[in-house]
Amino acid sequence: YYSVQYPESHPMIKPLMVFFQNGDKELGIKELEYASKNTSFSEAEAYGFLANVYFKYEFDYEKAFGYAQTLHLKFPKNSFFQYKLCEIALMKKEIKVTKACLDSIKNNKAHFYQGSHHILSANLLEITGGSTAKIKQLYNDGLAILIKNNINSAELNSIAYMGLARSWHLEKNIPKAKYYYKLAIDNTSNKYYEKEALDYLKKH
């Protein structure tokens, strides 16, 4: 799957793909689905890849959410799986699931999860109608935690930058909104995030 998708998301490496075997997205997904149902050691990895593939590239959020939920149910103490489920649940506006995952993530004192808790909480506040000032504060606090601890999470950064862009837009500061959407594009290969940012930049 990724031998096709990765060059699509990163055109600069396309010339190098001549040295690798040709990929097949459809076959890749079938193999991942087989692995999720018929393996033991690769089961979690297969579910994780499937949730990621359907969320980031295939625009099938129902399947992404289903795989992320299954992964969380099978490994309920895994903070990273909680984080991924929370990200996808926010996309689907599954508020109850999001809040439950955020409560669990908050208990993990690792800097990545503290940063992600701030950023995803800001995203939830956007959806549920929090104040713009509080939303911006949470996004910036989350980014500050990641930066201070040298944690480079491109997707998490992108979520924060897009949230800041939307917040600045609500305050009618279009130059700032465009600035943060450009940062979001530079930090993600998620097609949904790219589309939101590119659509905004085309209009403004």
Side-chain angles (χ1 to χ4, degrees):
Y1 183 92
Y2 280 101
S3 64
V4 178
Q5 181 59 56
Y6 196 82
E8 289 179 3
S9 302
H10 304 83
M12 289 182 65
I13 73 157
K14 280 186 178 181
L16 299 176
M17 298 309 294
V18 69
F19 300 108
F20 297 89
Q21 182 178 346
N22 290 336
D24 185 322
K25 282 187 175 183
E26 186 176 347
L27 178 59
I29 288 175
K30 286 180 180 178
E31 289 175 336
L32 285 168
E33 288 175 341
Y34 178 87
S36 72
K37 295 178 178 67
N38 297 281
T39 63
S40 297
F41 295 114
S42 301
E43 179 187 30
E45 190 174 10
Y47 276 116
F49 275 122
L50 284 164
N52 200 51
V53 161
Y54 281 117
F55 178 56
K56 288 181 67 174
Y57 306 117
E58 297 295 323
F59 292 95
D60 192 331
Y61 305 123
E62 283 296 330
K63 284 188 177 180
F65 185 65
Y67 283 120
Q69 274 193 309
T70 300
L71 195 56
H72 171 58
L73 289 171
K74 286 179 175 288
F75 306 94
K77 295 183 180 180
N78 187 302
S79 294
F80 187 75
F81 296 160
Q82 291 169 350
Y83 156 70
K84 292 307 294 183
L85 175 57
C86 188
E87 182 184 4
I88 297 169
L90 280 164
M91 171 73 71
K92 293 183 81 297
K93 295 181 172 55
E94 296 280 353
I95 305 303
K96 185 176 180 180
V97 173
T98 299
K99 287 181 176 179
C101 289
L102 282 173
D103 286 343
S104 296
I105 292 170
K106 187 178 182 179
N107 294 326
N108 190 320
K109 300 306 179 184
H111 297 306
F112 173 84
Y113 295 108
Q114 291 302 299
S116 68
H117 182 266
H118 280 75
I119 289 169
L120 297 176
S121 294
N123 200 174
L124 178 61
L125 269 184
E126 281 193 86
I127 293 169
T128 55
S131 76
T132 304
K134 180 63 175 177
I135 289 165
K136 285 165 62 179
Q137 179 188 335
L138 282 169
Y139 277 131
N140 282 314
D141 287 350
L143 286 169
I145 291 170
L146 299 181
I147 292 168
K148 180 181 178 181
N149 294 285
N150 297 312
I151 298 169
N152 183 20
S153 172
E155 295 302 325
L156 201 50
N157 289 345
S158 185
I159 293 169
Y161 292 142
M162 288 197 306
L164 288 168
R166 290 188 294 265
S167 297
W168 283 112
H169 175 77
L170 288 174
E171 295 182 347
K172 303 188 187 307
N173 191 328
I174 305 304
K176 281 260 190 175
K178 289 171 67 176
Y179 169 76
Y180 280 107
Y181 268 129
K182 287 175 182 176
L183 284 179
I185 291 171
D186 291 340
N187 280 272
T188 189
S189 59
N190 185 310
K191 287 185 176 181
Y192 178 86
Y193 297 159
E194 285 180 345
K195 184 177 186 306
E196 178 183 332
L198 288 170
D199 285 350
Y200 184 89
L201 292 171
K202 286 176 184 177
K203 293 177 184 176
H204 300 85

